Amino acid sequence: MKMPSVRIRIWIGLAVLAFLGFMWAFSPRAIEVDAAYVARDDMTVTVSDDGMTRVRDVFVLSAPLDGTMSRVEVEPGDQVTVGETVISTIRPLLPPLLPARVTAQLKSNVSSAEAALTAARADAERLRAEHNRLKRDLDRAKKLLESATVSQQAVDNAEAAEREGYLALRSGEAVIGVRRQELAAARAALMPSETQNGSDTVAVIAPLSGQILTVDRESEGPIAQGTPIVEIGDLNSLECVADFLSEEAVRVKPGDPVMFTDWGGPPLPGRVRRVEPAGFTKVSALGIEEQRVNIIMDLNDPSARQNLGHGYRFVANIAVWEGASRLVVPMSALFRDADGWAVFVISDGRAQWQSVSVGHTNRTYAEILSGLDEGSRVVIHPPRQLERGAKVKIRATPKTQRATDSSAAVTG
């Protein structure tokens, strides 16, 4: 049999290579994916939100009267002692300068009051003389009654007249007191402003022991009654408060563990003390009205309060559920399957669609109740082109991660 020529054999070889290249170009290629193992681990579900520290009882010290306040010498952070530390002093307002016509009227009032007092004194002297005469008449009538010169009726009349004279004298003396007060009031209206001195100042003293939190008014100057001057509180009574969405607050109960983060230091443990029973409406940064509830929490370590002050920000992570040795997968591996959830399981180099039953979830992991076995590999962040049975290639070996939710808090 005659062998094909060299040229023919070359063309046959090229045709075979072209066919193989064509088959390789149009054959399905493996899709590169990231993968993670289905593992058992401890799992914690938390609700997180921003909060703020505050002193449990803050006392606002206000001006007790209108006047001119001296400069406040205390500064935020200073210690004050109840009944001893003077915060400031207030000099009562000076009376206004009087115009000439008003001064003349007031002087006229003083003269009238002096004249009325003189008349009251003269009237009282007349009534005293009249009362003395009636007393002598009564004594004379009693002596004459002993000698039967006058009747008992005459003595009774003399006693009644003496009594009336006594009461008239008392009334006249009371009128003198009234006239004296009127004269004093008239003279006080003319009292010049210069009569007030430094002894008229009122000291504003700390009503409790603690620290100065804020100084609302520092400079010297006029001040109205009730104007806040300083805020005083005890940092040993520091507590933490955060407002949570009402649908998250219903999952929290007193005694739940809390981890305070993002305050500028290492995480601090704490406990929930109280969930307030009333909510309130708050508008988020996106303009959405939200129903929120304040949750009050305490630090487990009292010494940690030394690093915090009144009005410091933090993120409260409250653990509402904890489970040990749970079958978990990353949340990024899940996607919706009708009304349930599904994952892509990697088996023999291909992605197999698998429906799963999901229990608790946090921001990182989901608890798998059924549908997966421990040790299986699942695709995380499945790409759009990934289909059932598609060939896959894992980019890198997944690292072991814990199922504790440690993501940042969601703010409205």
Side-chain angles (χ1 to χ4, degrees):
M1 183 176 180
K2 186 178 180 180
M3 297 292 294
S5 64
V6 175
R7 181 178 295 178
I8 294 175
R9 283 184 291 178
I10 292 174
W11 280 107
I12 293 174
L14 292 176
V16 171
L17 292 176
F19 176 76
L20 295 176
F22 179 82
M23 295 295 294
W24 177 84
F26 288 93
S27 63
R29 297 180 181 180
I31 302 173
E32 290 189 351
V33 296
D34 295 320
Y37 285 107
V38 179
R40 288 193 175 274
D41 206 341
D42 297 339
M43 184 177 180
T44 301
V45 177
T46 64
V47 291
S48 305
D49 221 313
D50 291 338
M52 188 176 298
T53 59
R54 70 182 183 186
V55 173
R56 189 172 304 176
D57 297 314
V58 177
F59 293 85
V60 179
L61 188 58
S62 303
L65 74 163
D66 297 338
T68 302
M69 186 186 75
S70 64
R71 183 175 179 83
V72 175
E73 299 299 334
V74 295
E75 297 180 354
D78 289 350
Q79 291 285 344
V80 296
T81 304
V82 57
E84 296 182 6
T85 306
V86 177
I87 305 299
S88 179
T89 57
I90 298 179
R91 186 174 65 252
L93 291 177
L94 300 176
L97 297 176
L98 301 176
R101 184 169 63 179
V102 175
T103 302
Q105 292 175 346
L106 295 177
K107 289 182 177 179
S108 177
N109 293 341
V110 171
S111 299
S112 299
E114 290 175 344
L117 178 59
T118 302
R121 286 172 175 171
D123 189 57
E125 289 297 325
R126 180 184 62 79
L127 293 174
R128 184 174 292 105
E130 178 67 16
H131 177 250
N132 291 335
R133 184 186 66 79
L134 294 174
K135 285 178 65 177
R136 290 193 297 271
D137 290 346
L138 177 59
D139 294 341
R140 188 180 303 112
K142 288 180 178 179
K143 292 179 179 180
L144 293 176
L145 180 61
E146 295 176 355
S147 61
T149 304
V150 295
S151 64
Q152 182 64 42
Q153 181 67 34
V155 174
D156 293 341
N157 292 338
E159 289 180 347
E162 188 274 337
R163 182 64 180 171
E164 290 178 359
Y166 172 75
L167 295 177
L169 176 60
R170 291 289 303 275
S171 177
E173 291 174 346
V175 171
I176 292 177
V178 173
R179 301 307 178 196
R180 285 175 178 171
Q181 297 299 323
E182 291 176 350
L183 177 60
R187 288 174 175 172
L190 276 173
M191 184 180 296
S193 303
E194 289 77 8
T195 58
Q196 289 190 346
N197 50 46
S199 62
D200 296 326
T201 59
V202 176
V204 181
I205 302 176
L208 77 158
S209 298
Q211 284 184 289
I212 300 295
L213 301 179
T214 60
V215 178
D216 299 310
R217 170 69 183 272
E218 183 178 5
S219 301
E220 179 180 0
I223 191 169
Q225 181 180 7
T227 302
I229 301 176
V230 296
E231 291 185 2
I232 304 175
D234 185 6
L235 290 180
N236 292 325
S237 64
L238 198 69
E239 64 182 11
C240 305
V241 58
D243 56 335
F244 284 76
L245 292 171
S246 58
E247 56 265 29
E248 294 181 344
V250 296
R251 304 167 63 187
V252 180
K253 61 183 181 298
D256 284 346
V258 186
M259 191 62 68
F260 300 102
T261 60
D262 298 339
W263 62 272
L268 299 175
R271 291 281 174 181
V272 174
R273 174 157 50 90
R274 184 175 70 253
V275 179
E276 292 189 352
F280 57 92
T281 302
K282 182 179 180 180
V283 179
S284 69
L286 299 177
I288 302 174
E289 289 188 352
E290 300 173 338
Q291 286 302 116
R292 293 194 166 258
V293 177
N294 281 332
I295 297 179
I296 313 301
M297 298 155 286
D298 295 317
L299 294 167
N300 288 346
D301 185 6
S303 62
R305 298 170 181 167
Q306 300 176 359
N307 300 320
L308 297 171
H310 180 65
Y312 283 34
R313 178 193 171 275
F314 59 83
V315 173
N317 305 282
I318 304 177
V320 296
W321 179 85
E322 292 180 336
S325 187
R326 302 285 173 164
L327 195 66
V328 296
V329 296
M331 283 292 296
S332 57
L334 296 173
F335 54 88
R336 298 302 298 185
D337 178 20
D339 295 333
W341 294 96
V343 297
F344 280 115
V345 179
I346 301 176
S347 178
D348 298 330
R350 294 185 178 273
Q352 304 297 336
W353 181 293
Q354 179 63 51
S355 297
V356 294
S357 177
V358 176
H360 294 90
T361 61
N362 56 31
R363 302 179 191 278
T364 309
Y365 286 89
E367 178 190 16
I368 300 300
L369 301 180
S370 63
L372 289 176
D373 296 326
E374 182 179 358
S376 300
R377 273 188 173 183
V378 294
V379 177
I380 57 176
H381 304 293
R384 291 180 178 274
Q385 66 271 24
L386 186 61
E387 299 178 352
R388 302 187 185 192
K391 291 183 178 181
V392 293
K393 179 183 178 182
I394 300 175
R395 289 196 183 97
T397 302
K399 296 182 179 180
T400 303
Q401 302 178 10
R402 293 189 58 82
T404 302
D405 181 8
S406 58
S407 59
V410 176
T411 57

